[in-house]
Amino acid sequence: MFFILIIFISILFNSCKINYSLSGASYSPDVLTFNVLNFENKAPIVYPPLANMLTESLKDKIISQTKLKLSNNNPDLIFEGYITDYNITPSAITGNNTVNLNRLSVSVYVKVLNTKNSSLSFDKTFSHYIDFDPSKDFISIENQLNKEIIEKITNDIFNVTFLNW
């Protein structure tokens, strides 16, 4: 009886059609490779390193959180897109019309093509922002602020793609 139970359990687990990782990512076992095409920066205001930061951050996230391999030759998943908006606006104004906080906002249009299952392909715009003290020299903190925003956007892209959020 114990032997039959072991066989049943092994058949059950071997018949699963989804790969899982420790990050919780799930994807079909026939999806083995991915590619992230270079993101373009089409925002009215351009922070030059931003597109490359996004491209590399997404590659690193997928490599570190899945078993997928980066490939330029017929990848199973293709990520592409562009930065649509990059702006700084006041986010908190006091009664005497002085700015207490500024907000850096970034929006990115992303298209994911799943060549194995087109129903899992999608396109979506992801946006995040971070507030900062306007008394600080923006040039000296801009890179760090962008790293934080790109990390949030990368996590959102990953979650929608691999965690079905």
Side-chain angles (χ1 to χ4, degrees):
M1 184 68 163
F2 180 73
F3 181 71
I4 293 173
L5 181 63
I6 297 295
I7 290 174
F8 175 74
I9 290 172
S10 68
I11 289 172
L12 179 67
F13 283 118
N14 287 331
S15 67
C16 290
K17 299 274 191 241
I18 296 176
N19 281 335
Y20 291 98
S21 71
L22 293 176
S23 69
S26 63
Y27 48 92
S28 177
D30 60 343
V31 173
L32 304 173
T33 59
F34 77 97
N35 192 10
V36 178
L37 302 179
N38 289 327
F39 279 79
E40 294 182 61
N41 198 332
K42 295 183 178 182
I45 300 172
V46 174
Y47 177 61
L50 192 62
N52 188 57
M53 289 169 66
L54 176 61
T55 301
E56 294 306 314
S57 177
L58 187 54
K59 286 178 187 178
D60 291 345
K61 178 78 171 178
I62 296 168
I63 288 169
S64 69
Q65 300 293 311
T66 71
K67 294 180 182 178
L68 299 179
K69 301 294 181 206
L70 184 62
S71 173
N72 292 328
N73 298 324
N74 299 316
D76 301 322
L77 295 176
I78 302 169
F79 295 80
E80 63 182 317
Y82 52 89
I83 298 163
T84 60
D85 196 27
Y86 183 90
N87 66 50
I88 302 162
T89 56
S91 66
I93 301 174
T94 65
N96 58 1
N97 289 331
T98 58
V99 176
N100 280 350
L101 287 175
N102 278 339
R103 176 170 289 172
L104 173 62
S105 303
V106 176
S107 296
V108 179
Y109 168 80
V110 178
K111 181 177 178 181
V112 177
L113 175 64
N114 185 323
T115 63
K116 300 293 185 176
N117 183 349
S118 62
S119 69
L120 297 176
S121 298
F122 68 89
D123 60 315
K124 182 176 178 160
T125 298
F126 297 88
S127 299
H128 271 286
Y129 65 86
I130 191 163
D131 292 334
F132 62 95
D133 183 345
S135 67
K136 292 188 178 178
D137 176 32
F138 180 70
I139 300 300
S140 68
I141 62 172
E142 186 175 18
N143 194 54
Q144 182 57 39
L145 295 174
N146 281 299
K147 283 181 181 180
E148 292 176 34
I149 290 173
I150 291 301
E151 183 179 342
K152 291 176 182 180
I153 290 174
T154 300
N155 285 336
D156 285 351
I157 296 167
F158 183 87
N159 290 342
V160 170
T161 306
F162 296 105
L163 301 176
N164 300 317
W165 283 21

